[in-house]
Amino acid sequence: SVHVLSPGYVNARLEKETPIFNKQRIDFAPPEKINSLVVSSNQLCMSLGKDTLLRIDLGKPDEPNQVELGRKDEAKVYKMFLDHTGSHLLIALNTSECLYLNRSVQKVRALSRWKGHLIESVGWNKFLGSETNTGPILVGTAQGQIYEAEISVSEGSLFSTNPDQYFRQVYTLEEESGPAPVCCLEIERGLEGKFFIIATTRKRLFQFVGKVPEGTEQQGFSSIFAMHADHLPSFREFPASFGFSEIAFYTPKLRSNPRSFAWMMGNGVLYGTLDYSRPDSILSDERVWVYPSDIDITVNKPISIVLTQFHFLLLLPDRVKAVCTLNGQVVFQDLFLEKFGLLTRMIKDPTVQQIWIHTEKVVFRYHVQRESRDVWKMYMNMNKFDLAKEYCKDRPECLDIVLAKEAEHCFQNKRYLDSAKCYALTQNYFEEIALKFIEAKQEEALMEFLIKKLSNLKPSEKTQTTLLTTWLTELYLNWLGILEGDPSQRNLYLDTREKFRTFLSSPKNKDCLFNNRASIYELLASHGDTEHMVYFAVIMQDYERVVAHHCQHDEYDEALNVLSRHRDEKLFYKFSPVLIQHIPKKVVDAWISMGSRLDARNLIPALVNYSQSASTQQINEAIRYMEFCVYQLEETQQAIHNYLLSLYALCRPDSLLSYLEQAGTNPNRIHYDLKYALRLCAEHGHHHACVHIYKVMELYEEAVDLALQVDVDLAKSCADLPEDDEELRKKLWLKIARHVVQEEKDVKKAMACLSSCALLKIEDVLPFFPDFVTIDHFKEAICNSLEDYNKHIEELKREMEEATQSAKRIREDIQEMRNKYGSVEPQEKCAACDFPLLNRPFYLFLCGHMFHYDCLLQAVFPNLPAYKQAKLEDLQKKLAATSQPSKSHHRPKDADTISLGKGQQSREQIKADIDDIVAAECVYCGELMIRSIDKPFIDPQKYEEEMQSWL
């Protein structure tokens, strides 16, 4: 493991102890020596001894399957080939024969058409092959011929047929000395039906490229090889050879195309990627990695090669070496003990990415674990930083190292902006990096570093955020100041200005800038950058500063636009006194657009200050806003109405009177101050308005007195107002009459006053006339007055006669009532208790209802007012206190009882008083019954008790 000491990652362990290639010995002791072993799709097949074949499904390792080859001769297994599905096994014998075994059967079949050929390699068809049919495949022989063949197993057939469908030669591979063994064959399909066939000899690597028409794939690859019948295909050739070669491929995912290859040959390992988009050659990015120095191909030449994503493994007789494909360095070596024997072969199962190695006695398996763990280091050392970061993006301690290396690399190559971006992502000391850029005089890169660093800070790191924000502001202002003075840098200036504004308006920086806005303002002011001061103030919503700036520079329209856009009432109150002096109409329009959000009382000082030094036209703007408040917003504040009155009195007398009249005459509904209005109108000589105010204040005498100075008709309208006070009304009319007679000396108009007011008589007006006036002027008035008196006297006589007759009739009715009586039958019953009436004292009413005294008292008492109840109780007590018992309550007494003693007279009076209360009216026919119509039949307090009595 590696330890790195770095700020932010102290003693960070880069890797765990687990090796990339983890070896495991298989717990298997073969009864005979292992000749050959192949693995594919988790299916393992090994040849033991001379005649035994062992098949193991690695998913069920405890259920091996043994098959006998059934050979009696000296034939030995030369090589075995297993297809990608693990279904088809080809067994090449050293006697130039070939056997076939399908996974689903137990019997080995001989391929008769293949006889006479020593098989060196097989190119399986991964696109058409299935578990029962191989599809067209390619077979390479030791004599250099390439054959096309197909093997098929008939399921459920009654007759045994040959599995090999055909076996025909399609090509012969040659080297300088003639035909050479076909060491390896690989078939791959590219884009648009294009096929790539790779074939290798000991020194050459051939490529056959061609299209197979769609739908004819089953016909094989003869057409591709036929294209190269007259000329050699493209090939790679290397001078050295150790008698054979082997090619390995790396496929990242199951059922995908290989992505890279490694060809082991005499000069080393040719490694590259596979690019299926290329027209003529699939091989790309090729390079040759020479063998490590301890490998001598004359003594211990490599036996096999296996390719993984980032390594190729070389099998030597006693060890395994893993070489990184990125830098050619040996990163792993595993030495095997002599007791296991010499290593024979190494193969990889492409479907599960496991590597198998065997000797004649032992089988080993390698698991590849986290192969890419150290790839980042290699890419970093190769300066391929993007790839390095890709392979350590989930390991921050490694990513920090890569970023630091990349930053340093960019700095050394004077790519300062890229360096700053990388440094900002590292955990290196901030001060060191900042000083580095300062010493290099790279302010732009320093700004980039600070911006990136700021964006990576956490919200809790407020001190660092404040420091970076302030520093960046200073750097931006310096940079803008330098660029602004250079006309050739105009575009850069505009770009930098835009970046600065983006920085100021960034939501992430908003809180920090707001909390430190005083410092930012000072920086902006120290650089004299008023443009950005205003911009920053707008961002901070410090509109007061913005408006003040516009006002100081006589930009009143701009100031008003800011106020109108942000609609802040306090700012309107503060700046309106200044703005209205210069753009009154626009200001009033803005006030009106604000509507009820503005309190007009707070704007009055601005209007007062403005109207005192302004012309009539400017005062009209003040009146327009006040009228809006009064008539549109229906303001009731007294200050607003008083100020509007003062403006009317000053400039618009006609509007003054109409306003007063519209306000009405009810003092409780008038919103202006009556006394202030009266004084104001008097000062400006608006007598009509004063008369109206006097009328509202009900000061009718003052109203008439003032009206007489203006218009007699106005005075007359005032004199009729006190309708409920005839004496006052008469007094007011006398004032008018005196004025007409004495001031205007108009007798006819004075006579007209008499006809206008019925309260005035000629005798009331005569004292006002001078002595020399002749009677001819009011002869008619005197005659009319005498006639009125005569009519009044006659009316009084008639009323007296009617009163005398009424008194006479009343006396007769009283006498008649005294003599009125009623008869009661013996069987009559009380209307309340339904008992015989004559048993107890009773009352008889004109309506015919009859009640016992006590029954009537019981019915009437609860409905009497409290004071009558108290009086009745008092009378009952007084009656009980007298010695004489009660005899009757229904007969009126004769006049003779007056002569009785004093005590008897008191008793009769008490009885009469009780009768007046109790028997004033029939309890069923009088008002008592009407008043009780809304009362419930059962008292609510006794409802529950009554309800229980019914259960």
Side-chain angles (χ1 to χ4, degrees):
S1 65
V2 182
H3 295 80
V4 175
L5 186 61
S6 170
Y9 305 113
V10 179
N11 256 355
R13 184 176 292 273
L14 296 183
E15 292 301 336
K16 295 183 179 179
E17 300 293 341
T18 309
I20 295 175
F21 301 101
N22 188 20
K23 183 173 71 175
Q24 176 190 9
R25 179 181 175 183
I26 303 301
D27 186 14
F28 171 70
E32 299 179 75
K33 70 175 184 179
I34 303 172
N35 298 319
S36 182
L37 184 147
V38 288
V39 182
S40 183
S41 293
N42 241 12
Q43 301 295 316
L44 183 146
C45 300
M46 67 173 70
S47 169
L48 301 175
K50 177 182 175 183
D51 199 46
T52 304
L53 191 67
L54 191 65
R55 296 187 297 183
I56 302 174
D57 184 347
L58 297 177
K60 305 173 186 176
D62 298 331
E63 302 176 10
N65 176 252
Q66 185 171 321
V67 178
E68 299 299 329
L69 297 181
R71 302 288 295 193
K72 303 300 182 182
D73 53 15
E74 297 299 320
K76 295 181 181 180
V77 174
Y78 176 63
K79 285 185 178 182
M80 293 197 303
F81 308 94
L82 187 63
D83 80 317
H84 64 285
T85 66
S87 302
H88 307 282
L89 177 66
L90 291 173
I91 307 162
L93 304 178
N94 59 358
T95 56
S96 298
E97 295 178 85
C98 193
L99 307 178
Y100 171 73
L101 179 64
N102 189 275
R103 185 168 67 179
S104 61
V105 299
Q106 285 288 104
K107 185 178 180 182
V108 177
R109 304 285 299 277
L111 301 176
S112 58
R113 293 186 174 90
W114 297 40
K115 192 171 182 179
H117 302 283
L118 183 62
I119 307 301
E120 286 284 349
S121 58
V122 175
W124 296 103
N125 193 325
K126 293 178 283 188
F127 315 104
L128 297 177
S130 65
E131 292 184 0
T132 59
N133 188 289
T134 62
I137 61 174
L138 297 176
V139 180
T141 68
Q143 292 76 33
Q145 295 97 358
I146 297 177
Y147 288 86
E148 186 178 68
E150 184 174 357
I151 301 173
S152 179
V153 179
S154 301
E155 296 183 2
S157 174
L158 294 175
F159 304 99
S160 178
T161 57
N162 290 329
D164 49 336
Q165 303 297 308
Y166 61 87
F167 190 77
R168 55 175 177 260
Q169 183 177 352
V170 292
Y171 202 80
T172 300
L173 294 184
E174 295 184 356
E175 292 181 351
E176 292 178 354
S177 58
V182 182
C183 299
C184 296
L185 282 170
E186 180 75 13
I187 304 171
E188 294 298 338
R189 183 169 63 184
L191 305 175
E192 300 176 353
K194 185 181 288 188
F195 280 84
F196 297 88
I197 298 171
I198 297 176
T200 66
T201 62
R202 293 165 295 188
K203 298 167 61 176
R204 290 183 177 181
L205 186 152
F206 294 87
Q207 290 186 77
F208 299 88
V209 182
K211 283 189 177 182
V212 175
E214 188 175 356
T216 63
E217 292 89 347
Q218 198 65 41
Q219 297 177 11
F221 307 102
S222 303
S223 60
I224 298 177
F225 288 99
M227 296 168 58
H228 301 279
D230 299 331
H231 62 278
L232 283 175
S234 63
F235 64 89
R236 303 281 189 278
E237 183 174 11
F238 293 88
S241 169
F242 44 60
F244 66 94
S245 71
E246 185 175 345
I247 191 167
F249 295 90
Y250 168 69
T251 304
K253 295 180 181 179
L254 187 64
R255 300 187 185 281
S256 64
N257 291 331
R259 290 289 178 266
S260 56
F261 74 96
W263 181 38
M264 182 183 73
M265 41 78 184
N267 290 86
V269 176
L270 175 66
Y271 173 80
T273 58
L274 301 178
D275 185 355
Y276 296 91
S277 63
R278 298 180 66 181
D280 300 324
S281 174
I282 193 174
L283 309 181
S284 177
D285 298 331
E286 301 166 58
R287 66 171 65 182
V288 176
W289 294 116
V290 297
Y291 295 116
S293 58
D294 59 342
I295 295 179
D296 184 357
I297 63 173
T298 61
V299 179
N300 59 342
K301 58 187 176 184
I303 302 167
S304 294
I305 186 170
V306 162
L307 180 62
T308 63
Q309 184 178 5
F310 296 106
H311 302 85
F312 59 83
L313 281 73
L314 295 174
L315 181 70
L316 301 170
D318 61 343
R319 71 194 65 192
V320 172
K321 287 181 178 287
V323 179
C324 179
T325 58
L326 299 177
N327 56 14
Q329 300 297 316
V330 177
V331 297
F332 173 78
Q333 178 170 287
D334 194 5
L335 189 66
F336 288 76
L337 300 177
E338 290 184 6
K339 67 177 183 177
F340 297 137
L342 295 177
L343 301 179
T344 306
R345 184 163 173 74
M346 175 174 62
I347 55 176
K348 186 180 76 167
D349 186 346
T351 58
V352 293
Q353 304 295 328
Q354 291 179 349
I355 301 170
W356 296 80
I357 298 176
H358 72 92
T359 68
E360 291 183 348
K361 300 186 286 185
V362 185
V363 178
F364 297 93
R365 178 170 60 189
Y366 281 98
H367 291 277
V368 183
Q369 297 180 333
R370 295 174 57 230
E371 184 184 2
S372 62
R373 65 180 71 174
D374 292 328
V375 170
W376 64 271
K377 276 194 249 179
M378 300 170 192
Y379 279 130
M380 180 183 71
N381 293 330
M382 297 164 63
N383 294 334
K384 295 182 177 181
F385 300 108
D386 290 337
L387 289 172
K389 287 184 281 189
E390 180 67 25
Y391 283 99
C392 63
K393 59 185 177 183
D394 297 328
R395 297 155 65 192
E397 69 279 2
C398 302
L399 182 61
D400 189 68
I401 296 172
V402 174
L403 288 169
K405 182 72 179 292
E406 183 182 7
E408 184 62 30
H409 175 76
C410 293
F411 193 91
Q412 295 298 333
N413 288 277
K414 298 185 179 182
R415 290 164 47 205
Y416 297 111
L417 286 177
D418 294 334
S419 175
K421 293 175 183 177
C422 294
Y423 269 132
L425 298 174
T426 67
Q427 298 295 319
N428 290 21
Y429 289 113
F430 171 82
E431 297 85 350
E432 292 179 2
I433 301 169
L435 286 172
K436 199 169 186 177
F437 286 116
I438 292 172
E439 289 172 359
K441 297 182 179 180
Q442 294 297 320
E443 283 197 8
E444 190 175 0
L446 175 61
M447 289 165 59
E448 186 67 30
F449 169 68
L450 296 178
I451 290 171
K452 294 292 183 183
K453 204 71 177 173
L454 178 62
S455 66
N456 294 330
L457 290 178
K458 299 176 183 177
S460 58
E461 298 173 314
K462 295 183 178 179
T463 304
Q464 294 90 326
T465 303
T466 302
L467 170 66
L468 293 181
T469 303
T470 309
W471 193 1
L472 274 168
T473 303
E474 175 69 21
L475 289 174
Y476 266 121
L477 291 172
N478 283 336
W479 188 238
L480 286 171
I482 294 170
L483 295 176
E484 190 176 14
D486 188 352
S488 62
Q489 300 288 337
R490 180 63 180 171
N491 292 334
L492 181 58
Y493 167 76
L494 294 175
D495 184 54
T496 306
R497 185 182 69 174
E498 188 61 31
K499 288 181 180 178
F500 181 43
R501 292 186 174 185
T502 303
F503 166 74
L504 292 177
S505 59
S506 170
K508 187 171 182 179
N509 303 333
K510 183 176 181 180
D511 290 340
C512 177
L513 289 170
F514 182 79
N515 295 331
N516 299 279
R517 59 189 184 279
S519 301
I520 303 298
Y521 281 132
E522 289 179 6
L523 282 174
L524 293 166
S526 66
H527 285 267
D529 194 341
T530 56
E531 179 185 1
H532 283 106
M533 182 182 292
V534 173
Y535 182 82
F536 179 68
V538 172
I539 294 173
M540 294 293 103
Q541 297 183 357
D542 190 359
Y543 302 118
E544 181 176 350
R545 188 182 294 268
V546 177
V547 176
H549 169 80
H550 287 311
C551 290
Q552 289 170 3
H553 292 79
D554 297 336
E555 298 169 351
Y556 303 109
D557 287 330
E558 288 295 326
L560 185 59
N561 288 338
V562 173
L563 290 177
S564 301
R565 189 162 53 248
H566 300 289
R567 305 174 73 83
D568 188 330
E569 299 89 346
K570 294 180 180 178
L571 294 183
F572 266 103
Y573 300 146
K574 181 170 183 178
F575 291 101
S576 288
V578 176
L579 296 176
I580 200 169
Q581 298 289 339
H582 301 89
I583 47 173
K585 186 178 185 306
K586 292 181 179 179
V587 171
V588 171
D589 289 339
W591 289 351
I592 291 174
S593 67
M594 286 288 288
S596 59
R597 292 183 59 177
L598 290 179
D599 187 347
R601 291 177 301 172
N602 296 327
L603 297 173
I604 289 177
L607 291 171
V608 169
N609 183 44
Y610 166 68
S611 60
Q612 286 178 350
S613 59
S615 65
T616 304
Q617 183 179 359
Q618 292 168 324
I619 293 176
N620 288 337
E621 294 300 328
I623 293 176
R624 181 161 70 95
Y625 180 64
M626 288 292 106
E627 287 179 339
F628 168 77
C629 294
V630 170
Y631 297 121
Q632 301 296 323
L633 301 182
E634 298 180 353
E635 286 282 357
T636 59
Q637 296 292 334
Q638 191 178 79
I640 296 172
H641 287 263
N642 286 348
Y643 183 58
L644 180 59
L645 267 175
S646 67
L647 294 174
Y648 280 151
L650 185 64
C651 293
R652 294 188 187 175
D654 296 339
S655 300
L656 171 64
L657 187 59
S658 62
Y659 165 78
L660 294 174
E661 291 173 349
Q662 187 174 348
T665 58
N666 186 345
N668 297 324
R669 296 184 179 180
I670 288 176
H671 305 303
Y672 57 85
D673 187 337
L674 288 168
K675 294 180 180 179
Y676 171 76
L678 182 62
R679 183 174 67 255
L680 193 68
C681 295
E683 287 177 359
H684 290 84
H686 303 310
H687 297 307
H688 277 83
C690 290
V691 170
H692 178 83
I693 296 170
Y694 277 134
K695 290 193 293 184
V696 175
M697 298 172 72
E698 297 184 355
L699 300 176
Y700 301 115
E701 292 190 47
E702 290 81 353
V704 170
D705 289 341
L706 185 59
L708 288 174
Q709 299 178 22
V710 180
D711 183 11
V712 174
D713 292 334
L714 178 62
K716 290 180 180 179
S717 65
C718 297
D720 283 332
L721 290 176
E723 297 177 353
D724 299 332
D725 190 346
E726 291 188 355
E727 183 178 351
L728 177 58
R729 192 143 49 94
K730 183 177 180 179
K731 182 178 180 182
L732 297 177
W733 276 103
L734 285 174
K735 282 179 175 285
I736 296 171
R738 181 187 294 111
H739 175 80
V740 171
V741 174
Q742 294 180 352
E743 299 297 330
E744 298 187 4
K745 303 185 185 302
D746 190 340
V747 177
K748 291 184 179 180
K749 191 179 286 188
M751 292 302 102
C753 288
L754 290 177
S755 60
S756 299
C757 180
L759 299 177
L760 290 184
K761 305 297 181 184
I762 185 63
E763 58 270 26
D764 298 324
V765 181
L766 284 175
F768 303 144
F769 287 97
D771 295 339
F772 56 82
V773 177
T774 60
I775 199 171
D776 294 339
H777 293 289
F778 25 83
K779 173 182 177 182
E780 184 179 352
I782 293 173
C783 292
N784 291 336
S785 179
L786 293 175
E787 288 178 1
D788 290 340
Y789 278 124
N790 287 335
K791 290 179 182 178
H792 187 56
I793 291 171
E794 291 298 327
E795 186 68 28
L796 290 176
K797 286 181 179 179
R798 187 167 57 255
E799 290 176 359
M800 290 173 65
E801 289 178 359
E802 290 177 357
T804 302
Q805 293 297 325
S806 296
K808 182 179 178 182
R809 284 195 295 273
I810 290 171
R811 282 195 296 272
E812 291 174 354
D813 289 342
I814 291 172
Q815 188 61 37
E816 183 179 355
M817 287 297 294
R818 286 178 178 173
N819 298 327
K820 195 166 185 178
Y821 63 92
S823 60
V824 178
E825 298 295 331
Q827 68 274 16
E828 293 289 350
K829 296 181 179 181
C830 174
C833 65
D834 207 29
F835 280 93
L837 184 68
L838 299 178
N839 290 351
R840 301 198 300 275
F842 63 88
Y843 286 103
L844 171 63
F845 291 95
L846 294 177
C847 60
H849 288 113
M850 292 167 279
F851 301 91
H852 289 128
Y853 166 74
D854 53 343
C855 292
L856 183 62
L857 180 64
Q858 186 177 1
V860 171
F861 186 80
N863 298 291
L864 291 174
Y867 74 93
K868 283 194 176 183
Q869 289 181 354
K871 184 177 180 181
L872 183 59
E873 289 176 352
D874 184 54
L875 290 172
Q876 287 178 326
K877 289 177 183 179
K878 288 181 180 179
L879 183 63
T882 59
S883 58
Q884 185 175 351
S886 176
K887 292 182 180 180
S888 175
H889 294 274
H890 65 286
R891 291 180 297 151
K893 297 298 178 180
D894 296 334
D896 296 340
T897 59
I898 299 172
S899 61
L900 297 177
K902 183 177 179 181
Q904 184 69 22
Q905 189 177 9
S906 297
R907 181 180 179 82
E908 292 302 324
Q909 185 61 43
I910 290 171
K911 287 181 181 181
D913 291 342
I914 291 175
D915 289 343
D916 290 341
I917 296 173
V918 175
E921 59 181 359
C922 174
V923 72
Y924 287 170
C925 302
E927 292 184 7
L928 181 62
M929 181 58 67
I930 298 172
R931 289 198 302 271
S932 66
I933 193 169
D934 59 339
K935 293 184 179 179
F937 291 109
I938 301 174
D939 187 349
Q941 296 179 354
K942 298 180 180 179
Y943 180 78
E944 291 294 333
E945 180 182 349
E946 184 68 24
M947 187 173 66
Q948 291 297 328
S949 68
W950 282 80
L951 297 178

